Amino acid sequence: MWCHWIDQAATLQVEEVWVTRSDEHAVGQIHARMPLSATPPTLADVAERAGVSRQTVSNAINNPDLLRPDTLVRVQESIDALGYSPNRAARNLRTRASHLIGMRIGPAQEGTANATMDRFVHSLVETSREAGYHVLLFAGTGSRTDPVAGYDDLLRSTAVDAFVVTDTYLGNPQAAWLQERRAPFVAFGRPWDTLQHGGQARHSWVDVDGAAGTELATRHLLDKGHHRIAWIGWRKDSRIGEDRRSGWSRAMHGRGLPTTGLASRVEDTVVSGREASAHLLDSAQPTAFVCASDTLAMGVLHTLRDRGLRAGEHVAVVGFDDSQVAQVVPPGLTSVRQPLEQVAVEVVSALEALLAHPPVSGSGVMLTPTLAVRGSS
Amino acid sequence: MWCHWIDQAATLQVEEVWVTRSDEHAVGQIHARMPLSATPPTLADVAERAGVSRQTVSNAINNPDLLRPDTLVRVQESIDALGYSPNRAARNLRTRASHLIGMRIGPAQEGTANATMDRFVHSLVETSREAGYHVLLFAGTGSRTDPVAGYDDLLRSTAVDAFVVTDTYLGNPQAAWLQERRAPFVAFGRPWDTLQHGGQARHSWVDVDGAAGTELATRHLLDKGHHRIAWIGWRKDSRIGEDRRSGWSRAMHGRGLPTTGLASRVEDTVVSGREASAHLLDSAQPTAFVCASDTLAMGVLHTLRDRGLRAGEHVAVVGFDDSQVAQVVPPGLTSVRQPLEQVAVEVVSALEALLAHPPVSGSGVMLTPTLAVRGSS
DNA sequence: GTGAAAGCGCTAACAG
DNA sequence: CTGTTAGCGCTTTCAC
């Protein structure tokens, strides 16, 4: 019986087995125990067993059509019998590729509803696998002094083939730095700074049209009969925030409605959303709120609770990101949902183009969000 | 001016530079442009520049105390000047180690408040880095037929040094399978099946004492004057669920209070929590709820809203996991918080022991959760 | 179609 | 303390 190399060790079977190293003297020997940490079979082992050269086995794996069908079958059978899988390190060394894509993961944001990145990571891992890649996570340095240290290290040691960069807000040095190094990367997020200056993006990116999302949300509320719809967004220096805000004002102005006095720009915290909504309710009596994030929307829900108002009955609320919070909070928070699964697909697709020969540095892809309607509107 | 190898390409400086490959003829030449994808410097480049052998450079990195101080300084200076970083693939091939730890990531659970894994991943990445490891994420196969395919692949291709296994519920085949293969891994979660049979755990694990958490939660409510405290937990076949339940009943019985008719066991969904709490309110008039998860607790909040009751005023509610939801939902959900940062530290510590020579397969580590008190209690 | 030779960049073992 | 030698397992020439 031919079994996988490690089964031999595990089950301690007394069988005629091939040893894992190509040691001719051991072939056909009886082994009561294999060493516990037996080294996996190599190309040479497979070759010997199949009666071909190492090269032929390599071809069977990487260029199967070069082999004669019967040879291929024989080699394949040996591969299966031995449970062979090419050694990654050796392959990486030879091909100068790791089939790993790096992604920096920041500290978990507590006290907010921001879980976009987590949902995205899931999707990215799934999609990468189909393209033959794994995702390598690395931490932000934590030190303000060198925000690109993690990237630098991975790049110089050729640990990853490419990066996925997720926080491409204006002034973020990573994209520019990676570009300068000619490091392959795809950004989840527009290159705001480049677009600002009317230039062409010089790197691949995928993004979701935030303005389209908030416009969708605002139209939804308008269709429900609301006229005084307030906006709670981020501070003016946030490009993403201003983009999302523009969707709200576009929808309002599109119906000939004024926006004066209905907007507020604050930090992205629950407390800020709570305070901003309280002020707006006092000053402008809105019947609905569109928010730049679920976090801010939760702040609105706090204010409504403070005042004995019920979301979805007295005042409508819409958030942004369709976080878990939006999904489970009573009575359900209507929220703009980013198509993160599709973002992942586009990111991987751009990555593949980037790593092809010759590399294709595609331009941007813009995706449109949807609206998850729930009890709050 | 000596600059990092890639800076040369990026800034297109006209300088006297060392080329990246050890090509004697090029030393001291003037280069207007370096090739855009110049290969990083190797050990040989550093050695040549420092006037030592390759081995000495290797020692400078891996065994600095073997070098004479002045030699070390000279080598270090060359390393810095060239921006040298050892090629991972080559090192991995030679040392038979990847310095990567694999972790399977399941699909994102929508419609629940379960974000434990995400918080844990963050912590794990941070902690691993300090130990010189990176985290490699891989996806569940999705196919029910072979739940260990991802592990198998990574293991056989020697892509990772070890695994962190997170879902060790009873009957989960992964732990047993990995153990059989002699694959180094640490479980986040007790080996329930082994403990059940009174045996010693044969693999390293780290877990959080769920019963202690619910006991803490229940005592907190008892101290607030509640007597009729209901439990909403998971189905009986969940070992974790039964463990958490035991903390509640222990606290209740400890004060001589009955638990009959106060417990409910349902699926881990918001809807189940909502229905269960509605039933319990009708049948047993509890004044407080302790739940096995934040998801179930959110179900309770739904019921309270349905009935015009206010959490924290009319009825107290405590959840489990201290999810983002618990943190932002009005009026704040009191919740048992797992010390995930500490779990990560213990996991990495166990991993290091496992990968040491000789490997130390430590037994289990049990950590105690805390209670995050908020408006709902 | 298949095989032989060379070498990716590094480190373990030994020699000086 | 430093240098020499060898080889990790694989794939890319290039013969045959």
Side-chain angles (χ1 to χ4, degrees), chain A residues 43 46-48 50 52-62 67 75 79 84:
Chain A
L43 213 51
V46 177
E48 191 178 355
V52 296
S53 76
R54 283 165 31 211
Q55 185 44 37
T56 302
V57 179
S58 178
N59 283 336
I61 294 167
N62 302 309
L67 298 209
V75 173
I79 289 176
Y84 169 74

Side-chain angles (χ1 to χ4, degrees), chain B residues 26-99:
Chain B
V27 172
Q29 259 184 276
I30 303 297
H31 286 259
R33 281 166 184 262
M34 293 287 290
L36 291 184
S37 57
T39 53
T42 70
L43 211 54
D45 300 325
V46 178
E48 190 179 358
R49 187 181 194 284
V52 296
S53 75
R54 281 160 38 205
Q55 186 48 36
T56 303
V57 179
S58 178
N59 284 337
I61 294 168
N62 301 308
N63 302 88
D65 21 300
L66 288 183
L67 299 209
R68 223 171 31 210
D70 60 319
T71 315
L72 181 57
V73 167
R74 214 168 66 246
V75 172
Q76 191 58 52
E77 195 252 348
S78 287
I79 289 175
D80 293 342
L82 260 31
Y84 170 75
S85 190
N87 180 301
R88 286 273 223 281
R91 171 177 277 184
N92 292 350
L93 177 58
R94 190 62 239 231
T95 61
R96 297 172 175 286
S98 64
H99 280 261

Side-chain angles (χ1 to χ4, degrees), chain A residues 44-85:
Chain A
D45 300 324
V46 177
E48 191 178 355
R49 187 183 195 283
V52 296
S53 76
R54 283 165 31 211
Q55 185 44 37
T56 302
V57 179
S58 178
N59 283 336
I61 294 167
N62 302 309
N63 302 87
D65 21 301
L66 287 184
L67 298 209
R68 228 172 24 214
D70 61 318
T71 315
L72 182 57
V73 168
R74 213 169 66 247
V75 173
Q76 191 58 54
E77 193 253 348
S78 288
I79 289 176
D80 294 341
L82 259 32
Y84 169 74
S85 191

Side-chain angles (χ1 to χ4, degrees), chain A residues 251-311:
Chain A
M252 293 292 277
H253 296 152
R255 301 276 173 105
L257 295 169
T259 55
T260 317
L262 283 169
S264 183
R265 283 187 258 233
V266 297
E267 273 184 87
D268 191 35
T269 66
V270 174
V271 170
S272 298
R274 187 180 197 162
E275 292 169 353
S277 54
H279 282 137
L280 283 165
L281 279 173
D282 292 338
S283 64
Q285 294 84 41
T287 61
F289 288 89
V290 177
C291 303
S293 73
D294 282 352
T295 303
L296 291 173
M298 291 309 291
V300 178
L301 293 195
H302 270 88
T303 294
L304 297 185
R305 184 190 152 96
D306 291 343
R307 304 190 172 199
L309 299 172
R310 286 169 78 91

